[in-house]
Each structure stands twice: as structure tokens, then as C-alpha cells.
Amino acid sequence: MNSVRSLSCLTLISLCMQLLGSTSSASTSLWGKKLSFKGRPCMWQLQPEAVVPALQELSACMLLHRTHTPEWTGFDYKAPGGGHTELGLGGTGTNLSVWLFGEKHSLERDLKLHEWHTVCLTWSGRARRLRIYINGTSKYDTSVNPILLQQLAPNGSLTLGVSHYINTNGEVQQQTGKDLLGEIGLFRMWAREWSAEELRGQSCADGDVVRWDLRQWQHKCQPEPDNNLHCAWSLYKINMWFKVHSTQPGNCLVSLEEVTRNWLESIFPHNISVHNILLSSPSRTCHVVNNFAALPTQQSQPSTALSNSTCDKCFSSEVYVNVDPAANVEVVQANIASLLSSTFSYDFLNLTADPNSISILPVELLPVVPEPLPTVSSGTATPGPTQSLPARPTNVSTTGDPLDLNETAVGPDTFFRVNLTLSMYGSPTKPEDIIEKWVKEQLEVNVTMIVLNLIIKENVGRNMEQHNGLMIFHGQPKQYYCTFHVQEYNINSVAEILTLINATLTSGYKNDSIIIQTMDLAIKHIVTANCLEETTSTIYGQYIWPEAFPQVTQTIGCQRPRSEIGFRICKLDIDTDTTSWTKPDMKNCKPLVIISDLDNITVTTGNAAEVVEMIQDLIDVQLGDSAELSSSELDTVVEKLREVVDISSIKPAIGADIVNIVADILISKTYVTPVASILLNLTDRMGNNMDFHEGSISISAPSLALSMVNVDQNKFSGLTFGVSFDSSDLNPEIFVNHSFVGGLLPDTNATISLPSELHNFFPSGERNTTRVQFQFYGTDDLFQDPQTSNATQRSCTLNSFVVSASINNSLINNLKDGVVVTLRHRTPKQPEDKVQCVFWDFQKNGGRGGWNSRGCETRSISANRTSCLCDHLTHFAVLLDVSRTPISDADSQILTVISYLGCGISSIFLGITLLTYLAFEKLRRDYPSKILINLSEALLGLNMLFLLDSWLSSFSNYSLCIATAATLHYFLLASFTWMGLEAVHMYFALVKVFNIYVPSYIPKFCAVGWGIPLVIVSLVLAIDKDAYGSAVPEESAVMLHSTDQFCWLQNDVFFYVTVVAFVLVIVLCNTFVFIVVLIQIRQMSSNKHSTNSRSSLHDLRAVASLTVLLGLTWSMGFFSFGPGKVVLMYLFTIFNTLQGFFVFFFHCLMKENVRKQWRMHLCCGRFRLSDYSDGSRSVTMGGHCKKNHLINSDSVASDNTSTIRKVSDSSTGSTPNHHQGV
């Protein structure tokens, strides 16, 4: 830090005058960054201007971090035209492959996933040698085939992370199937073969063929910073153009090298020394080079004197500097670029560097230093003898003593606190992501500011959004509150930055249907302090962290291994606007102690926090290397945690660490049953002993949450604790309500409500406060009861998460009011399933614990949650009885497939049936055909809506979902109404044998068949339109067989009254008519003198036809319970989804007059029938030749058996000989 404090006044003044913006070198550097390849299209291609020459030897190195095992590509270089791979790196599984001149070299080498590896390959054409190095060690050394080319094809195409090919237009295209899933860093290429010793030196020098700089690459995705990729280095080359302007045009006789050296030595801190300066001849214009692969080619000169002819000219320079001690490359690049961005005045001369031409490159060696002779009067200089400096400084290693990054810094950055309230119009799926993207794009566009610690919260109390069931109607804007820090590192004036931030964030945002408007904006300048020097003792050793500026990452060499580095950030806290050290990131280091060494540590009040931190680090290391702790390691950790809890009061920070340790153990594969009771007791005592001054405190970790509340004994009126938990991210969210809530809190998985009666059980004493503790467990590893954990003998399964409540130093039981525990089911309960409220009995199963239902009353609310009323406090959960025969997940999926497949088939054949009857007028003359047409229309609508329902509900449109559910409900009721009308017509035809005059017979049937369902659906919409929505009632799951989003009736009352009861009435009436028909058929058969098999088969087909028409197969849904449930469910699904197909089969395919119409109009040749063959036998009642409206005629009534035969003929396809149809 001494170098920071010793900056000259001139340097500080020049820094304050810097313009808003960043130099090109700093903004385009890829050092300290990685390229992420996550499966989306992401190709990094070498710029066409960055030409790879014809190389006779080379070295290429890269950092590789794989996350998945499929075939991958590290880099791919192809000759012009895109033929074979000239040079490449890739692999499959445990094989590593290198391509050289189209020839593949493979070696068995498993690059472990989720770890960084250094992979280098070197080749020499002269020596005909190829070598592969992994993590600095030679793994492959072979001779190259002498037949192959001895130089690399120039001007080829190079891609990173993906293989590629050249299309007919000469464009580089990504070749799929070999994409890397992982990350790449520090890809560089040199025009010489590096030795093994040079590679082991872990040089940070940039490549001289391909460099790690953004200006050399075309890319489709942005690089990402990574603290693991820092590389400390001392030797740098600075290339730039600068302009010299004289305020005294007549006086230009001064040494340009002297002026340049004076300039650089004035602005650089003392730890950056100028080694050598080379200048070009003067030019009238500065040649800005966007691609720094093509550097200025003018002849450099060791010294140049200004003359009258060279004033106000541009020069290109090549400056070599030494940074001592070594610092991270990206830090040095940013600091030097920032220092060079201001105009420098030297007597009557002004020097200004072109920021777009500046490049700062880490180099392997410094050049020979020319020693100039004394300057003669003419102003020219003559080179003298030269001497060589050491090839490499002694402080270039990335290991060893702590590296003070601030040695090259110029001062702390400027920080601001921004509080922003905004309104968003539109309904994006992830509004927080849209806001974050907008804020960062607005403020980070000029690469002079960074947005830090961004927090976005929806301002629910101010929103005017309407919530309707499970859908949301987006008609009003949402309000969001944002708070974040802004780090400005160009050191402009505070007033300028405040003005810029205010103007940027008040400009608003509009993209398609999304509009963001700023409602309120408050910006505050924060004066931050440095993080002071600190010594830490960890399992990795003792380290001294130097003083650091805010948001600066310090690095330090590991004690083991020496080649790795640890990191620590001086973090600016979003809550307090103060800085503090974060926990050191030492994951690259190896620990010096192991878990068993904890037995040698004595826990005291002074080292409790240090011991807990050591345990956390050891568990992180152990669970990082393996999936579980051994039993001895687990015993050691639990015993040491018990000592920590027993030795003293627990601070919240220590308590949070203990909770995280327990959570890490629980989510691992460690077998914790032997110590389950100890861990449960430990967390309970920790909560009781925690020392905090607030009214309450909550601690959460993956799958585990604790909340401690200090309540006033005299003012206690109840308390409610709730937890929202998502198994996908394992992070519970805690809610505490200082009142009694009898049900489930909104958006929670578990709620426990304590009645006011509990104040009678509070311990008496001098203090007026009592500690109430709640706990939540998102895993059941600590609650292994043989009744639920034994896969072969279990009769119950745990169907909820576990929640508990306790009061310190009190035993709570025999409560009169009772504790209300409401738990959401992990698996929806089926109608026949039985649930039971239980608590964890520590004394059960010989002291190992088990579930007990004593003192708990089960109050099942719905299929998704259960309410329990218990007279004591402990750990509560819900058990699901699995001893019955439930529908398995496999059966449920099969039934779902059958449902959709059957409905699709029925829709097709119902459409064919309708087209047949509507196209051929002779088929629709009688009443049964007209009723059949209406039934087919209703069934077709039902099947089509069922198939489209899930797709329509996926739009999450509230109005669309109501319309879909109501329409589906309507067609379901219409289908059953027309089935009932079929029965009514049969009843009139078969039972009422006397003449019945019914005017407008079919119109009245239509009014009833389509009108009654319309009235019912309209009444439901009028009473409560929210009865429809995106949910599947558990009771209707029998019909739907799917848990996907589905627009249907949500209200149980409406469902039972308008669906279950309606269907039951229709089915019962149709069953009665069906029985009557069976009796008539039986009587007819008995009256006949002789029977034959053909007649019996004819009657059987008639019965099957009537079963389909009357919808009697739907009755199986009312009997789908008990041991035969699964079989009945399959039969129910098959017969009812294929009802439309059966209608086609019996009333089209099996009907003779329908087949005749098909043959007359659709066939040709010998299969075609003439109209004459049909005769007049199909003239039936309802035709135009009869004007009366008699259901039966005397001729038909005189012979009841003929009427029955008529029904049989109509159903099975025989053409009747009567003029009466039923």
C-alpha cells in the first residue's frame, strides 16, 4: 500500500481529469475471463485480420474446464477452404485427441470434470516432434510422420469450443455434435516450440501468433470473469500511437525519447519501471489500429529529436515496463491504460495517447537495452554499446508470498447507492431478468461503471394486478423496487457521475409489449473505507491478507500446493454500505488438516467460531471429494458441534454456520440415522441458546430452516410460522405472523399456528420474554421410521415436509385449543387414499424414534394439503397410507397416453360419421339418425376440446382458460344429454305402444339436448366464473388421467352437482331403458319357434350398439375402487375414449344402408351400386311423404316384437322392411 500512498500529486491531478470511458486495451482484454459453452450457439472465431502465418514450429496452450462427458472440441484450426483439421484439440470420455495435419493422435487421459486443466501442445517441423502437456507434465511425446507437411498452412480458420467447416460462400459454420460443454480460458499460440521447463514455469506471456484479447476474435456470446483465472506477471510491452503538440511552434529541439520517458515515469507509480522505449518516425496522422494483431510496421528508432518539421506530429511507440511485485495481468492492463488516457504536459509540449491504439501485452522477455551516448548539439543521438538484462525477473511466479494487487492501482474507485422504483407494463415470464438486463445495459454501456449487489423486489402492496384463481389478468402495471451499488472506476467527478446515472435510469425502456418507466430515483455517493490487513487461520494454513480497496480481489499463494492461489474480496455490503472481507476462497489449495484432527482441538468460548468455520471447511473439502462422510467422520463432527453448543451462547453468525453444516450433511449421501436424535436435539438447544437482541431471527440453509422468536408473556396472542419450499432449489423461505392463523399461509408448504393458550405454559422468571423456536426440514433423513423407510415392509410413506415448534425449558402437552399444523402434500392424495397426522416420538423403536399419531387429530382439507390439530408441541408431518392399491406413476402415464390416443381416434371416426350422414340425405330421414347426428356432434366437440385443453391452458390466459373449461363442460353435458334423449326415444318407441302425437319432435329434442347444458354452464358462470380455471379436481382425475395444467372445473360443489350428479342421473335412466330393451329382446327370443346362432349374434350386436349409444360404459367410473381399481380404470379409459369409434363401427360400418350409400357414391367399377338397387326400402318415418308426428303407428304397435326387431336392425345394420324407425 506504500506505493499507493506515494503517488505524486501530478498523477492524482491527471487521474481526476480522465474522460468518462475506458481505453481499448482495458476493455478488450480477456485476461481474468473465461468463455462459457453451455449448449447454446456460441462460437469464438479468429478474426480474418489476425492471420496465422506458415509456422514450422509452434506451441499452443489453453485452460480447459469440462462440465459434461460427451465428445468435445477444445480448438479447431483448418487450412483455407476448410479441409482437414490442420491443428486441433478434442476428446471423447477418457480419451484426449490432438490433430496435426489431419492425423489424429490419441492418449488415454481422463480430464476430471468440474476442474480446470492446463493443456499445451508443442510441435517442431525440423525435429518432427509432437508433445502434449497436461497441467505442466509431459503426457505424450511422439515423432511426426515425415510424409506429412512440415509447416502449418497459413491464413486458416480457427474456432474455440466447437468444430467448424467452410461453406460454399467461404463462411465459417459451426459443426454440431462435437461442442464443448464447459469453459475455456487463456488460449494462446506462439511461433516456436516451448520446452518442458518453460511450460512448467507457468508463463503468463501472451502469444505472439494468437493472443488472449477480444480484438482478435469474432464471438456470439460474451466472456465471463472468473477469479480462478488470475495470472500474476511482471514483464509487459506497451504499443500505442501518441500525438505531440507544441505550444511554442518555434521551439521543438528536444529529445522525444526523453520527453516520453519523463511522461511515463511521471504517471506510473514507483512499482512500474520503464525498461526500454522505441519510437517510430513521425507521421502527420495517428494510425489507429483496431486489430492489434497488425501493429505499426514503421521502423522504430531508439531516440528521436523534435524539429520544426516534426512538431504536431504522431509517433508510434513500443515501451517495455517491469511491474514489481508481479500482479494480475488484467489489473495491470486496466491501470496502465487508465494512466495513459490523459494528456501530459512537459514544458511547452503536450503528449496525448490515442486510447484506441493502446495495447498492453504480457511478454516473455524484455529486449536488449541500448545505452545511448551523450547527446550532441544537433539534437541527434547515436546508439552505444548494449547490455542484456536477465531474461526473467525473480518475481514472475504466481506463487510464493502474498501479491499486493494494489501496488499497481491508482486509488479506490467511486461508489454510489441507487434506490429505484419503477413500473413495468406487460407480462414477461421473468420480469426480474428483464429489469436486471435493462439496468446493466444502461449503466455498463460505456464500460466505465459496474452494477453490484442488485436486489429486485416486487412492490406487491402497490400493484393493481387482479388475481383470479390460478390465472392472472395483466391489465395494470406492476411496480418493482430495486436497490444496488454502482462502481465507477474512471474516477470522474462525483457530480458528473450523479448526472450520468440520473439521466441513464430516467430514460425508460420499451421493447415490443414491455415498457419500463422510472417512478422514483434516489442516488447517494458512498465514501468507502479499505479492508485493513488481516491474518486468518484456516485448515489451509495461516495467511496475512494485505490492505485492499473496496471490490478488489486479493490473491495469495497457497501453502500447499505452491502452484495454486487463493482469493479474497473486499466486499461492499448492500445493507450497510460498508466494506468487509469476505470468506477466503481457498478451494484451489489443499488442507493441512483433516476431520480426524478435530479430536485434538479443545473447544473454548474464544475459539468456538474458529472451530465451526474449520468444520465447515473440512466438510466442504470432504464432500467435494466424495459423496458422503464416513461414520467416524460424522461422529467427530457431531461431537465437536455438540461441544460448541454446550460451551457458550451462540451468536447468529455461528448459528448460521452450524445450520449450514447440518444441511450439507443432510443433502449428501451420509447415513445419519445413528445420530439423528443427537442432531435434532443439537439444533433445538442451539436455537434456545442463540444470543440476539432483535425480536426474532431466522436462519435458512438448503432443506433446513430455523426461526427463533422472543415473545412477551403478557402480550402473547398467538404465533404462526410458515415455510415456502421448492425442491428444485432447496432454499426455504420463512414467514412469521405474530397472530394465530388457522390455515395454510399463502404460497407455503408448511404452517404451524400456536394458540394464545400457550402463554399458560411459559416458564416463570424475572424475564418477561420467552423463546419460541420453529424448525423446518425439507428432507426426511433424520426421521427414518421402519414403518416408512423399509421398502419391502412399509405400509405408509411420509407425504409432507417436517415442521416443529418448541418453547425453551417447557414441556407442552394436553392443550385445550390445540396447535394447528397445515401441511402441503408432496404427492396429491387420491380420493381413496388415507392420510394421518403424526409427530416424531423420540422414545419409539427403542429410543431411535418413530412416528406416532397420539394426540393429533387429522382434518383432511383437500388432495393437496392436510390440517392437523394436536395437543402438544414437537415435530409434525403427514403420513400417506400406501397399503392400498393406488395407481402407480407408470399406470397413470399409460392411461394418459390411452386417453389422448383414444380421443384422437374417436375424433377422426366421429368426423367420418358426421360427413356420411350429412352427405347422404337418405340416411338422415328417420329420427334415430337425426338424434345420432346430434350425439356425434356433441361427442366430437368433447373429444376435440379434451385434446386441445392442455395446449390452450399453457398460454396462461385467464379468459381463454375460462372459455376452454366452460366449453369442455358444455360438450360433456351435451353428450350425456343426447345419450339420455336416445333413451327417451327408445322408451317412446318400445314402451309407449299407443299413438303419441309430438309436434316438432326433433326441434324439441334439440332444444333440450343443446339448451339444458347451456343453461347449466351459464348458471355456473353467473354464480362464480372463477369456478372454472387451470386446475384438475382430484375427483375428476379418474376421467382426465393427467396432472398437467388443465382448464376445468375447480369448485368441488359445482363439479359434484353439475357433473357427477348429472352424469349419474343420465346413466341410471339409460340403464333402466337398457334393461327394458333387454327384457323385450328376451321375450322376443322366447316367442320364436326356433333360434339359431346368427339370430343370437344379431341380438348381441344390438345390445353392444345400445350400450354405446346410451353411454353405459361411463358407469365404470363410479365403481373404480378396491382391488380391481386399476383394471376398471383401464376399461373405463379404453371404452369411453373410443366411444366415438364404436359409434362409427355400429352405425356406419355395420349398417347395410350406409355401406350401400358408400358403394353407390364412393366406389367405382364392380364395387359400385346403382341407385335402383336401393329401391324404396329406406323410406322411414320422418320422411317427406308423411305429415304426421306419430312416434308409433297402429301397424307397428300391433306387433311388439317387430318393433324390437326394428331396434335390432337399426343397431346392427340390417335394412328394415317396415316404414317405421326408432
Side-chain angles (χ1 to χ4, degrees):
M1 296 300 298
N2 293 331
S3 63
V4 176
R5 300 188 181 98
S6 63
L7 290 174
S8 65
C9 295
L10 181 61
T11 303
L12 294 175
I13 293 174
S14 65
L15 292 176
C16 294
M17 297 175 60
Q18 291 179 16
L19 297 174
L20 187 65
S22 174
T23 62
S24 178
S25 178
S27 61
T28 62
S29 172
L30 288 174
W31 289 85
K33 298 180 181 179
K34 63 185 179 184
L35 315 183
S36 294
F37 300 86
K38 302 177 181 178
R40 64 180 188 274
C42 180
M43 183 172 68
W44 283 70
Q45 173 191 348
L46 192 68
Q47 290 274 15
E49 296 83 2
V51 176
V52 176
L55 301 176
Q56 296 183 348
E57 62 179 20
L58 61 85
S59 298
C61 288
M62 68 187 304
L63 294 178
L64 189 65
H65 180 271
R66 297 191 304 130
T67 58
H68 293 78
T69 56
E71 185 176 5
W72 54 274
T73 300
F75 69 90
D76 185 23
Y77 178 79
K78 285 184 168 61
H84 61 257
T85 299
E86 284 277 297
L87 185 68
L89 173 68
T92 55
T94 59
N95 289 325
L96 186 71
S97 302
V98 171
W99 285 264
L100 182 64
F101 306 125
E103 185 174 83
K104 182 178 180 180
H105 301 264
S106 299
L107 67 154
E108 284 285 336
R109 178 58 54 182
D110 185 11
L111 298 181
K112 291 184 178 180
L113 298 180
H114 308 292
E115 291 184 12
W116 282 102
H117 302 277
T118 302
V119 182
C120 296
L121 60 93
T122 64
W123 164 74
S124 172
R126 180 177 304 173
R128 297 175 181 175
R129 179 176 56 229
L130 173 66
R131 289 173 175 170
I132 303 174
Y133 299 83
I134 300 177
N135 298 326
T137 304
S138 177
K139 299 297 182 182
Y140 186 81
D141 191 343
T142 186
S143 298
V144 179
N145 189 343
I147 301 177
L148 297 178
L149 299 174
Q150 298 307 310
Q151 72 174 21
L152 192 71
N155 200 24
S157 55
L158 173 65
T159 56
L160 300 181
V162 298
S163 183
H164 70 278
Y165 66 94
I166 309 298
N167 63 15
T168 55
N169 297 326
E171 299 171 339
V172 175
Q173 298 294 323
Q174 180 174 341
Q175 183 177 345
T176 59
K178 301 180 181 180
D179 299 351
L180 172 70
L181 293 176
E183 298 159 345
I184 288 177
L186 289 181
F187 179 85
R188 295 156 295 164
M189 185 183 293
W190 297 268
R192 70 180 184 88
E193 181 191 34
W194 281 44
S195 66
E197 181 180 358
E198 290 172 324
L199 291 174
R200 281 194 295 268
Q202 296 187 357
S203 171
C204 296
D206 213 340
D208 55 6
V209 177
V210 178
R211 302 184 176 94
W212 195 233
D213 191 280
L214 202 59
R215 285 174 290 186
Q216 280 204 331
W217 299 95
Q218 295 178 356
H219 55 92
K220 296 181 180 179
C221 47
Q222 296 299 319
E224 301 174 4
D226 192 326
N227 291 332
N228 294 315
L229 303 183
H230 292 306
C231 191
W233 198 246
S234 290
L235 310 179
Y236 295 86
K237 178 178 69 173
I238 306 171
N239 290 100
M240 62 178 173
W241 281 89
F242 66 92
K243 184 175 183 179
V244 179
H245 172 71
S246 175
T247 58
Q248 300 178 11
N251 188 3
C252 295
L253 297 177
V254 66
S255 171
L256 180 58
E257 181 184 2
E258 179 183 350
V259 173
T260 305
R261 182 176 293 274
N262 190 296
W263 170 30
L264 298 178
E265 291 178 348
S266 297
I267 64 174
F268 288 163
H270 70 82
N271 62 320
I272 301 180
S273 58
V274 178
H275 175 73
N276 191 24
I277 300 175
L278 299 175
L279 301 173
S280 70
S281 301
S283 174
R284 292 188 176 274
T285 58
C286 293
H287 303 281
V288 179
V289 181
N290 291 325
N291 175 22
F292 83 131
L295 295 174
T297 57
Q298 298 184 26
Q299 181 64 39
S300 298
Q301 299 176 359
S303 180
T304 303
L306 293 175
S307 63
N308 289 330
S309 62
T310 58
C311 283
D312 295 332
K313 297 293 179 62
C314 287
F315 298 83
S316 68
S317 64
E318 189 172 277
V319 181
Y320 293 87
V321 298
N322 188 1
V323 179
D324 186 15
N328 291 336
V329 173
E330 69 272 20
V331 176
V332 175
Q333 289 175 329
N335 291 334
I336 292 179
S338 178
L339 294 170
L340 292 173
S341 62
S342 299
T343 299
F344 174 74
S345 297
Y346 179 79
D347 291 338
F348 53 87
L349 297 175
N350 292 329
L351 281 72
T352 304
D354 187 338
N356 292 322
S357 68
I358 299 174
S359 68
I360 302 104
L361 308 176
V363 294
E364 181 185 2
L365 300 172
L366 294 179
V368 175
V369 180
E371 181 176 339
L373 294 174
T375 305
V376 297
S377 57
S378 62
T380 61
T382 304
T386 62
Q387 62 180 4
S388 175
L389 291 181
R392 190 184 298 269
T394 59
N395 57 354
V396 299
S397 176
T398 60
T399 62
D401 295 332
L403 305 175
D404 190 355
L405 299 183
N406 292 323
E407 292 296 327
T408 58
V410 297
D413 297 331
T414 308
F415 294 88
F416 299 86
R417 172 66 173 262
V418 179
N419 295 326
L420 175 66
T421 302
L422 53 85
S423 293
M424 174 180 285
Y425 294 83
S427 54
T429 55
K430 295 181 178 180
E432 289 81 4
D433 294 346
I434 299 294
I435 295 173
E436 179 179 0
K437 180 180 179 182
W438 170 67
V439 170
K440 290 186 176 182
E441 285 182 350
Q442 291 292 97
L443 295 177
E444 297 179 355
V445 63
N446 292 323
V447 202
T448 62
M449 290 183 284
I450 301 176
V451 176
L452 305 171
N453 308 322
L454 177 60
I455 298 175
I456 304 172
K457 294 182 179 180
E458 183 179 351
N459 197 351
V460 180
R462 299 290 299 276
N463 285 341
M464 294 171 284
E465 191 172 65
Q466 302 176 14
H467 294 266
N468 299 280
L470 297 180
M471 292 294 171
I472 299 176
F473 175 73
H474 300 277
Q476 298 292 337
K478 283 186 177 182
Q479 286 193 7
Y480 292 87
Y481 173 76
C482 311
T483 182
F484 54 91
H485 288 135
V486 175
Q487 178 181 4
E488 203 279 341
Y489 51 84
N490 220 31
I491 316 182
N492 293 297
S493 69
V494 172
E496 290 177 346
I497 302 172
L498 288 171
T499 302
L500 177 61
I501 295 176
N502 184 78
T504 301
L505 294 180
T506 55
S507 60
Y509 171 86
K510 184 176 182 180
N511 182 15
D512 297 332
S513 59
I514 301 173
I515 300 176
I516 297 177
Q517 293 181 350
T518 300
M519 307 295 292
D520 186 36
L521 177 63
I523 310 171
K524 175 186 175 183
H525 174 227
I526 302 173
V527 179
T528 56
N530 295 345
C531 294
L532 301 179
E533 181 180 291
E534 183 176 273
T535 302
T536 60
S537 296
T538 67
I539 63 173
Y540 306 97
Q542 188 178 68
Y543 297 89
I544 301 176
W545 298 92
E547 182 178 355
F549 291 138
Q551 290 300 131
V552 168
T553 300
Q554 285 282 28
T555 62
I556 199 166
C558 299
Q559 295 184 17
R560 193 176 74 177
R562 290 282 181 176
S563 59
E564 298 294 342
I565 293 177
F567 306 92
R568 200 181 190 190
I569 300 176
C570 180
K571 180 73 173 178
L572 179 61
D573 186 74
I574 187 63
D575 296 322
T576 62
D577 292 338
T578 59
T579 54
S580 61
W581 284 111
T582 59
K583 183 179 179 179
D585 181 1
M586 311 295 293
K587 62 177 177 289
N588 295 327
C589 306
K590 298 296 182 182
L592 305 181
V593 297
I594 58 177
I595 291 180
S596 60
D597 294 329
L598 292 172
D599 295 330
N600 303 323
I601 299 176
T602 301
V603 180
T604 64
T605 56
N607 70 352
E610 185 178 339
V611 171
V612 172
E613 184 176 355
M614 183 178 297
I615 295 174
Q616 178 71 78
D617 291 339
L618 287 172
I619 286 182
D620 290 342
V621 172
Q622 182 62 30
L623 294 181
D625 295 336
S626 64
E628 60 183 0
L629 300 179
S630 66
S631 59
S632 60
E633 291 172 336
L634 179 62
D635 291 339
T636 299
V637 170
V638 173
E639 175 61 23
K640 204 55 60 177
L641 290 178
R642 187 189 61 78
E643 293 179 15
V644 171
V645 172
D646 291 341
I647 199 69
S648 63
S649 61
I650 304 298
K651 297 295 183 183
I654 299 178
D657 289 340
I658 294 176
V659 171
N660 278 303
I661 292 172
V662 175
D664 289 342
I665 295 174
L666 292 181
I667 63 178
S668 69
K669 295 182 179 180
T670 304
Y671 181 62
V672 296
T673 300
V675 296
S677 297
I678 300 176
L679 285 174
L680 291 173
N681 184 264
L682 185 147
T683 55
D684 187 68
R685 287 186 292 113
M686 183 200 69
N688 291 334
N689 296 337
M690 189 168 294
D691 181 18
F692 60 92
H693 302 290
E694 300 83 1
S696 64
I697 187 172
S698 296
I699 301 173
S700 63
S703 298
L704 183 60
L706 277 74
S707 183
M708 285 67 67
V709 183
N710 294 329
V711 298
D712 192 329
Q713 299 180 7
N714 300 322
K715 298 181 180 179
F716 181 77
S717 59
L719 193 63
T720 300
F721 167 79
V723 172
S724 176
F725 181 72
D726 186 356
S727 300
S728 60
D729 60 14
L730 301 179
N731 293 318
E733 185 178 357
I734 301 172
F735 304 90
V736 177
N737 191 324
H738 289 268
S739 62
F740 180 83
V741 178
L744 196 67
L745 290 176
D747 301 323
T748 58
N749 297 86
T751 298
I752 181 168
S753 300
L754 307 183
S756 59
E757 181 193 353
L758 275 179
H759 79 275
N760 298 326
F761 295 83
F762 289 167
S764 58
E766 297 180 359
R767 297 177 59 185
N768 292 326
T769 59
T770 297
R771 175 73 53 83
V772 179
Q773 181 180 173
F774 299 99
Q775 294 185 12
F776 169 84
Y777 294 88
T779 175
D780 56 359
D781 289 351
L782 295 178
F783 306 95
Q784 294 298 303
D785 188 339
Q787 182 184 8
T788 60
S789 59
N790 193 320
T792 59
Q793 301 178 358
R794 67 179 182 179
S795 59
C796 295
T797 181
L798 194 65
N799 199 32
S800 72
F801 301 114
V802 181
V803 64
S804 73
S806 63
I807 296 177
N808 59 331
N809 303 322
S810 298
L811 179 62
I812 311 298
N813 53 29
N814 299 321
L815 288 171
K816 294 181 180 179
D817 294 338
V819 177
V820 178
V821 182
T822 307
L823 299 168
R824 190 177 299 277
H825 298 163
R826 298 164 78 170
T827 302
K829 180 184 77 69
Q830 298 302 317
E832 73 282 0
D833 290 340
K834 180 182 178 182
V835 295
Q836 187 176 29
C837 295
V838 291
F839 71 93
W840 186 252
D841 186 350
F842 286 88
Q843 305 305 319
K844 198 174 180 181
N845 295 318
R848 289 178 298 173
W851 294 111
N852 194 334
S853 61
R854 187 183 67 251
C856 286
E857 177 184 347
T858 303
R859 297 180 176 181
S860 182
I861 297 177
S862 70
N864 294 315
R865 58 182 178 176
T866 293
S867 179
C868 308
L869 186 64
C870 300
D871 63 359
H872 56 281
L873 294 183
T874 183
H875 302 79
F876 301 101
V878 170
L879 293 182
L880 175 66
D881 186 0
V882 296
S883 61
R884 307 186 179 208
T885 310
I887 297 179
S888 65
D889 292 339
D891 285 330
S892 180
Q893 290 190 3
I894 294 173
L895 289 171
T896 301
V897 173
I898 293 175
S899 297
Y900 283 102
L901 187 61
C903 288
I905 294 173
S906 289
S907 298
I908 295 172
F909 286 101
L910 283 170
I912 297 174
T913 301
L914 283 173
L915 287 176
T916 298
Y917 277 85
L918 294 176
F920 306 132
E921 188 270 340
K922 291 183 180 180
L923 297 179
R924 61 177 188 271
R925 290 177 178 176
D926 57 7
Y927 290 160
S929 299
K930 293 178 180 179
I931 296 174
L932 179 67
I933 291 173
N934 284 276
L935 175 60
S936 298
E937 291 175 350
L939 288 174
L940 180 61
L942 176 63
N943 283 279
M944 292 299 295
L945 258 296
F946 180 84
L947 292 173
L948 296 175
D949 196 304
S950 294
W951 175 66
L952 293 173
S953 62
S954 65
F955 290 100
S956 298
N957 185 290
Y958 176 68
S959 301
L960 178 61
C961 190
I962 288 181
T964 302
T967 307
L968 181 63
H969 188 199
Y970 173 77
F971 277 112
L972 178 65
L973 297 179
S975 298
F976 278 96
T977 304
W978 280 104
M979 293 178 204
L981 291 175
E982 281 277 10
V984 170
H985 180 73
M986 290 181 186
Y987 180 79
F988 283 158
L990 298 177
V991 180
K992 297 293 184 179
V993 296
F994 299 102
N995 294 335
I996 299 177
Y997 175 74
V998 180
S1000 303
Y1001 187 68
I1002 292 300
K1004 288 181 179 179
F1005 265 44
C1006 289
V1008 174
W1010 300 110
I1012 290 179
L1014 181 62
V1015 171
I1016 294 175
V1017 173
S1018 299
L1019 285 174
V1020 174
L1021 289 171
I1023 295 172
D1024 182 13
K1025 68 179 185 338
D1026 292 331
Y1028 297 108
S1030 180
V1032 182
E1034 295 78 16
E1035 295 80 1
S1036 65
V1038 173
M1039 180 182 68
L1040 301 178
H1041 302 304
S1042 178
T1043 57
D1044 294 337
Q1045 192 177 12
F1046 201 90
C1047 292
W1048 181 238
L1049 272 172
Q1050 293 187 68
N1051 189 290
D1052 290 343
V1053 175
F1054 285 116
F1055 176 76
Y1056 279 112
V1057 173
T1058 65
V1059 177
V1060 178
F1062 187 88
V1063 171
L1064 181 61
V1065 170
I1066 296 294
V1067 170
L1068 289 176
C1069 293
N1070 290 5
T1071 303
F1072 169 76
V1073 174
F1074 180 72
I1075 294 173
V1076 170
V1077 173
L1078 289 182
I1079 294 173
Q1080 298 283 11
I1081 293 176
R1082 179 62 178 171
Q1083 290 178 352
M1084 178 196 70
S1085 300
S1086 62
N1087 291 333
K1088 295 188 65 170
H1089 298 288
S1090 63
T1091 59
N1092 51 53
S1093 59
R1094 181 176 180 182
S1095 177
S1096 299
L1097 182 61
H1098 192 276
D1099 292 340
L1100 183 61
R1101 286 187 293 184
V1103 171
S1105 172
L1106 292 175
T1107 302
V1108 172
L1109 279 181
L1110 300 180
L1112 299 184
T1113 55
W1114 289 84
S1115 62
M1116 285 185 287
F1118 295 98
F1119 301 98
S1120 299
F1121 57 85
K1125 173 180 177 178
V1126 176
V1127 175
L1128 284 173
M1129 291 291 289
Y1130 273 96
L1131 293 176
F1132 174 89
T1133 304
I1134 293 171
F1135 282 113
N1136 293 323
T1137 58
L1138 291 175
Q1139 185 178 6
F1141 169 75
F1142 292 134
V1143 168
F1144 166 81
F1145 180 80
F1146 288 113
H1147 296 276
C1148 283
L1149 193 62
M1150 298 293 293
K1151 204 166 185 179
E1152 185 178 353
N1153 59 339
V1154 174
R1155 294 198 302 268
K1156 285 184 177 181
Q1157 293 296 319
W1158 285 346
R1159 292 181 65 183
M1160 283 190 296
H1161 298 283
L1162 301 179
C1163 295
C1164 58
R1166 65 186 184 91
F1167 297 102
R1168 182 180 178 88
L1169 292 180
S1170 63
D1171 292 345
Y1172 173 77
S1173 63
D1174 186 49
S1176 59
R1177 296 168 56 189
S1178 61
V1179 178
T1180 59
M1181 182 178 177
H1184 299 289
C1185 59
K1186 290 203 178 269
K1187 298 297 183 181
N1188 55 51
H1189 300 276
L1190 296 180
I1191 303 304
N1192 283 301
S1193 63
D1194 293 337
S1195 62
V1196 177
S1198 64
D1199 189 354
N1200 196 27
T1201 59
S1202 66
T1203 304
I1204 299 171
R1205 176 57 58 194
K1206 179 63 183 174
V1207 175
S1208 178
D1209 291 339
S1210 176
S1211 302
T1212 57
S1214 298
T1215 304
N1217 295 323
H1218 308 285
H1219 301 291
Q1220 172 65 32
V1222 177

